[in-house]
């Protein structure tokens, strides 16, 4: 019987060794299945163990921050940050981890070093928290393209309305917000029919960190004006002696109302006098939204007669002429509908018009067929659909009027009266220009033409003849004609009795 004892002992020892080997082999298999520890943002040692256990992993934007040992520390951090940084602005709510932060619970054979304090510091340093607030999504016809978070919804509506004042009057905005229409036009002038934002804006509740929440009206207004681009280069202008708000705008490609709206903290209205030295923001808009304004306009327009009828009279020597019928301009009442996008007139549609006075065509007997170079002494507008963008003296040294064609920015430029081309050249400030001598004491000046004049020095031109094209050569913020009249060598404002301004 005793001879079986060594055999039994050997069997027991063999079984034990087999069990231990199986355990080691199992750990090796588990380790192989587990793989090496996942790389984390924060350095954290990991040790392979024989038993699996639960782990809590914290990810930010898909990258592991670290493995948390005590989840209560995260809860304590959230409570502490809320009380210190959020409670005053967001009372009676709760702070959570940021929307890009994901908590994952997993089973692992690794035991990780406790770096909970470093993880908390990282969360605080990178502001990886979020609080419930108002979320506003901007969408066009294709998709949502921008999202902002605001603390106060009324601040957003107030900022939106303030931004709209860059393009529409306060009176119109008030009426439209009440569902009312602006008064119908009963005489010459214009009215704003509608204003709307082409993008869809959807309000919901969302979560964001404090640094991503627009806290007040001014922050929201800045976003609506210039977007979220931190690299926007702001432009400023220091008011000079004699500057009017209209002139500040003209120098910087803005309307007077836009200058007021952008600087609403110091300006009240377009007629306000501004002290020299005042610094104004003149940065044009780079907005994430598109504002459309529909306007109706009724204007009295000049209807010019056709070119004069010249009748040869052999009784008159060459160069002499007699006017049998004086030319007389007619007029019409024209009704336009205009669409303005972000303050730019995209064009007007003539809805209707009625002639109120027929033009009279001039009849002249001449000794030859040569067009006389003597002016009539009266002047026509040098462009069609004229609109004065900068009046005489709208900024220091501006001794002319700037005229635009409301519906064709680079349209034709016309001789304001008959005469002889005295100069047709280029200047660094006024670009391509023409001077016409009307040989009766008057001369007219046309600046910023888009290209060299169509006429040459010494050439006689007729009143209303096309002499070039509206442009912006030289120093100009937009296409217009820089126009003035010289009377016996003295520069005159064309609006002082020469044109119906």
């Amino acid at each position: 019987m005793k001879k079986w004892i060594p055999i039994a002992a050997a069997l027991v020892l063999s079984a034990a060794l087999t069990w231990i080997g199986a355990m080691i082999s199992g750990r090796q298999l588990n380790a192989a299945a587990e793989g090496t520890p996942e790389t984390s943002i924060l350095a954290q040692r990991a040790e392979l163990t024989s038993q699996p256990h639960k782990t809590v992993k914290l990810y930010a934007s898909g990258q592991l921050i670290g493995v948390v040992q005590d989840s209560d520390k995260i809860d304590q951090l959230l409570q502490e940050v809320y009380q210190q940084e959020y409670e005053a602005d967001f009372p009676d709510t709760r702070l959570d981890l940021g929307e890009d932060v994901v908590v994952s619970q997993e089973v692992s054979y690794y035991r990780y070093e406790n770096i909970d304090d470093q993880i908390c510091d990282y969360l605080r340093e990178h502001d990886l928290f979020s609080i419930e607030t108002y979320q506003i999504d901007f969408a066009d016809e294709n998709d949502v393209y921008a999202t902002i978070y605001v603390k106060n919804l009324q601040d957003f509506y107030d900022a939106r309305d303030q931004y709209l004042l860059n393009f529409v009057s306060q009176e119109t905005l008030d009426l439209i917000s009440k569902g009312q229409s602006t008064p119908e036009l009963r005489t010459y002038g214009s009215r704003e029919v509608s204003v709307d934002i082409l993008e869809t804006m959807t309000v919901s509740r969302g979560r964001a960190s404090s640094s991503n929440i627009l806290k007040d009206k001014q922050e929201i207004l800045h976003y609506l004006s210039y977007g979220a681009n931190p690299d926007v280069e702001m432009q400023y202008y220091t008011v000079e002696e004699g500057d009017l708000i209209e002139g500040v705008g003209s120098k910087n490609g803005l309307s007077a109302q836009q200058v007021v709206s952008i600087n609403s903290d110091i300006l009240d209205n377009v007629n306000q006098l501004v002290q020299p030295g005042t610094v104004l923001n003149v940065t044009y808009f780079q907005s994430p939204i598109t504002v459309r304004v529909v306007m109706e306009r009724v204007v009295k327009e000049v209807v010019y007669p056709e070119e004069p009828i010249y009748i040869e009279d052999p009784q008159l020597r060459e160069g002499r002429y007699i006017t049998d019928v004086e030319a007389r301009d007619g007029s019409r009442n024209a009704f336009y509908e205009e669409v303005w996008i972000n303050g730019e007139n995209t064009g007007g549609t003539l809805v209707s018009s009625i002639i109120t006075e027929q033009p009279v065509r001039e009849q002249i007997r001449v000794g030859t067929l040569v067009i006389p170079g003597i002016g009539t002494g009266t002047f026509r507008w040098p462009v069609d659909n004229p609109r004065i963008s900068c009046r005489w003296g709208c900024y220091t040294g501006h001794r002319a009027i700037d005229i635009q064609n409301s519906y064709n920015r680079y349209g034709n430029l016309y001789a304001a009266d008959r005469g002889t081309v005295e100069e047709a050249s280029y200047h660094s400030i006024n670009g391509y220009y023409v001077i016409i001598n009307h040989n009766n004491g008057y001369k007219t000046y046309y600046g910023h033409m888009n290209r060299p004049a169509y006429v040459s020095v010494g050439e006689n031109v007729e009143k209303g003849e096309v002499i070039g094209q509206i442009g912006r050569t030289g120093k100009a913020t937009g296409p217009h004609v820089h126009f003035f009249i010289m009377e016996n060598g003295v520069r005159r404002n064309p609006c002082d009795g020469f044109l119906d301004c």
Side-chain angles (χ1 to χ4, degrees), residues 447-498:
H448 299 307
M449 295 168 60
N450 200 35
R451 59 191 63 181
Y454 298 162
V455 292
S456 303
V457 173
E459 182 178 345
N460 283 337
V461 294
E462 181 54 62
K463 185 175 185 177
E465 181 176 339
V466 177
I467 60 173
Q469 184 182 37
I470 301 169
R472 56 179 301 179
T473 55
K475 188 176 181 181
T477 58
H480 67 275
V481 57
H482 184 79
F483 181 71
F484 62 84
I485 296 172
M486 296 288 290
E487 182 180 12
N488 296 320
V490 178
R491 187 182 294 205
R492 298 289 302 275
N493 182 350
C495 291
D496 287 347
F498 297 99

Side-chain angles (χ1 to χ4, degrees), residues 164-313:
L164 291 177
L165 291 179
N166 288 302
F167 313 107
V168 73
S169 67
Q170 182 71 65
E171 179 184 8
T172 296
L173 194 61
D174 291 342
L175 288 172
I176 290 175
S177 66
K178 297 174 184 176
Q180 301 175 7
S181 299
T182 53
E184 295 284 343
L185 288 173
R186 301 188 181 280
T187 183
Y188 303 123
S190 62
R191 74 167 182 137
E192 297 155 330
V193 178
S194 66
V195 56
D196 61 332
I197 296 173
L198 297 186
E199 293 78 15
T200 301
M201 295 182 293
T202 304
V203 179
S204 60
R205 297 293 285 179
R207 304 194 69 84
S209 65
S210 177
S211 60
N212 290 327
I213 298 174
L214 303 178
K215 304 296 193 308
D216 55 34
K217 173 184 170 181
Q218 284 303 120
E219 289 188 8
I220 300 170
L221 181 59
H222 187 275
Y223 173 82
L224 293 179
S225 299
Y226 306 112
N229 183 4
D231 298 325
V232 172
E233 184 176 350
M234 305 301 289
Q235 303 293 324
Y236 296 94
Y237 176 81
T238 301
V239 176
E240 300 175 355
E241 188 73 36
D243 274 346
L244 301 177
I245 293 178
E246 179 187 26
V248 173
S250 177
K251 286 182 180 181
N252 295 281
L254 296 167
S255 70
Q257 177 57 46
Q258 288 169 346
V259 174
V260 171
S261 183
I262 293 173
N263 298 277
S264 59
D265 53 335
I266 55 177
L267 298 180
D268 295 323
N269 61 79
V270 297
N271 298 316
Q272 181 177 341
L273 295 179
V274 188
Q275 291 296 322
T278 302
V279 178
L280 298 176
N281 177 10
V282 291
T283 313
Y284 200 77
F285 312 106
Q286 300 178 36
S287 178
I289 62 176
T290 307
V291 179
R292 175 178 60 191
V293 177
V294 177
M295 297 185 65
E296 291 178 349
R297 188 182 304 276
V298 175
V299 295
K300 180 180 180 179
E301 294 184 337
V302 176
V303 178
Y304 297 107
E306 297 180 53
E307 292 184 357
I309 299 173
Y310 297 98
I311 303 172
E312 291 188 42
D313 188 344

Side-chain angles (χ1 to χ4, degrees), residues 439-454:
N439 300 305
N440 57 3
Y442 291 110
K443 296 181 182 181
T444 49
Y445 184 97
Y446 314 76
H448 299 307
M449 295 168 60
N450 200 35
R451 59 191 63 181
Y454 298 162

